[in-house]
Amino acid sequence: MTITQLQYVLAVAEHKNFTLAAEKSFVTQPTLSMQVQKLEDELDVLIFDRGKKPITITEVGEKIVAQAKNIVAEAERIKDIVDQDKGYVGGDYTLGIIPTVMPTLLPMFLNAFIKKYPKVNLIIKEQSTQTMIKNIMDGHLDAGIAATPLEIEFIKERPLYYEPFVGYVPKNHRLASENEISTDDLDVNDILLLQDGHCFREGVINLCKASKNRHGDHFKIESGSFETLVSLADEGMGMTLLPYLNTLHLEEDKRTNLKSFQKPTPAREISLIYHKSELKIQITDALREVISSIVRGAIAFQDVKIISPLAKN
């Protein structure tokens, strides 16, 4: 039994296809198939049922795959230990970022990070929180940046910053005359929301005091971008809520529509999340230090109340 064989087993388990698993593992399909077969012969069990399309994992195969994940992760830790002992901060590092954070945060820290740590090959992917969690568990992401808390056993969370919510209230809205707005003023049926799948949407819904089930004689609009929500609000379709960093680059005439919340200001917690095994922790620590130091200069709010991104019934 070899680490390479276990890596091939994990590739087949993920892709349910020997050809695709070989492609992703950068080997030929016969080579990968032969190594998986050798492992099955050695163990005298079938890990995969090749008679089904797509390939399925046998009952004992499920247990072998689970253990293989642990063994491969621990093998990778050996190189990680050596890198840490040498103080080396370098190598490939794959980072996921949720869509409502990526456009504002990435331009703030990316250039500074790659200049300070030129030996790190940073691979960045925009992903939803649920996709990110699965990819961290499967070893396809080294870390992610997401709204927390997530309350997942195998995930560690290290807060980077707390980003306040800001109201975007057009001139014709019922709250336009208010200097500040309160969470008691909010009605979920009066707010333009991001579409399902965005954790900021759940945060807004959790923030609203009004019933989620009350419906008036109005339409329902959901969008995937804050820019669209702002444009719709300008057309008199309602108000919306924005993360603070999204307000920094609004045009001057639009900034007059911004309304701060009464303190404690509702905010979302943005954290660096990663597997509890802490592989490549030296790069994770470096990333956290750079991001935290930069964002601290942009967000000076102190008195905040963290709004959960988790859906509430």
Side-chain angles (χ1 to χ4, degrees), residues 168 226-235 240 242 250 254:
Y168 186 84
F226 289 115
E227 291 79 7
T228 300
L229 296 182
V230 167
S231 296
L232 291 171
D234 288 339
E235 292 298 318
T240 193
L242 303 173
L250 284 176
K254 294 184 184 296

Side-chain angles (χ1 to χ4, degrees), residues 22-243:
E23 180 183 324
K24 297 295 184 180
S25 301
F26 304 103
V27 295
T28 64
Q29 189 268 332
T31 296
L32 182 139
S33 296
M34 180 184 67
Q35 290 300 322
V36 172
Q37 183 68 59
K38 284 180 65 176
L39 179 59
E40 289 179 318
D41 291 344
E42 178 183 341
L43 298 175
D44 194 25
V45 296
L46 279 178
I47 300 174
F48 301 105
D49 184 346
R50 296 159 174 80
K52 296 181 179 179
K53 300 293 183 183
I55 291 169
T56 60
I57 308 174
T58 64
E59 185 175 347
V60 68
E62 292 282 4
K63 297 176 182 178
I64 292 171
V65 167
Q67 188 61 31
K69 288 180 180 180
N70 295 331
I71 294 170
V72 170
E74 289 303 313
E76 291 174 353
R77 180 181 285 279
I78 294 174
K79 182 178 183 302
D80 201 47
I81 289 170
V82 173
D83 286 344
Q84 290 183 48
D85 185 68
K86 294 179 177 179
Y88 177 73
V89 182
D92 290 345
Y93 191 89
T94 306
L95 176 71
I97 308 179
I98 58 173
T100 59
V101 167
M102 182 104 148
T104 53
L105 181 62
L106 188 59
M108 294 177 70
F109 80 85
L110 182 58
N111 193 41
F113 182 82
I114 60 179
K115 282 184 176 179
K116 188 170 183 178
Y117 298 101
K119 294 180 180 179
V120 176
N121 179 30
L122 197 58
I123 303 159
I124 298 170
K125 300 182 178 182
E126 184 177 285
Q127 297 184 344
S128 69
T129 302
Q130 290 306 313
T131 299
M132 196 183 300
I133 291 167
K134 183 181 185 303
N135 284 333
I136 290 175
M137 181 176 68
D138 291 342
H140 299 312
L141 283 182
D142 295 304
I145 297 177
T148 52
L150 297 175
E151 302 174 1
I152 298 173
E153 183 181 357
F154 69 86
I155 292 283
K156 287 199 170 187
E157 303 174 6
R158 296 174 70 185
L160 295 168
Y161 58 94
Y162 300 96
E163 184 174 24
F165 290 53
V166 180
Y168 186 84
V169 183
K171 301 294 187 294
N172 61 348
H173 193 272
R174 61 183 173 85
L175 299 178
S177 62
E178 302 292 333
N179 292 324
E180 290 183 323
I181 56 176
S182 162
T183 55
D184 292 328
D185 296 327
L186 301 180
D187 180 344
V188 72
N189 295 304
D190 186 37
I191 297 177
L192 297 164
L193 295 170
L194 290 176
Q195 61 196 22
D196 279 334
H198 291 275
C199 56
F200 188 79
R201 168 195 168 89
E202 294 300 334
V204 171
I205 291 174
N206 292 340
L207 180 62
C208 293
K209 300 293 186 181
S211 168
K212 300 177 190 177
N213 299 316
R214 185 177 70 79
H215 295 285
D217 297 324
H218 57 272
F219 47 83
K220 178 181 179 182
I221 295 178
E222 297 177 357
S223 172
S225 77
F226 289 115
E227 291 79 7
T228 300
L229 296 182
V230 167
S231 296
L232 291 171
D234 288 339
E235 292 298 318
M237 302 298 185
M239 65 171 287
T240 193
L241 297 184
L242 303 173

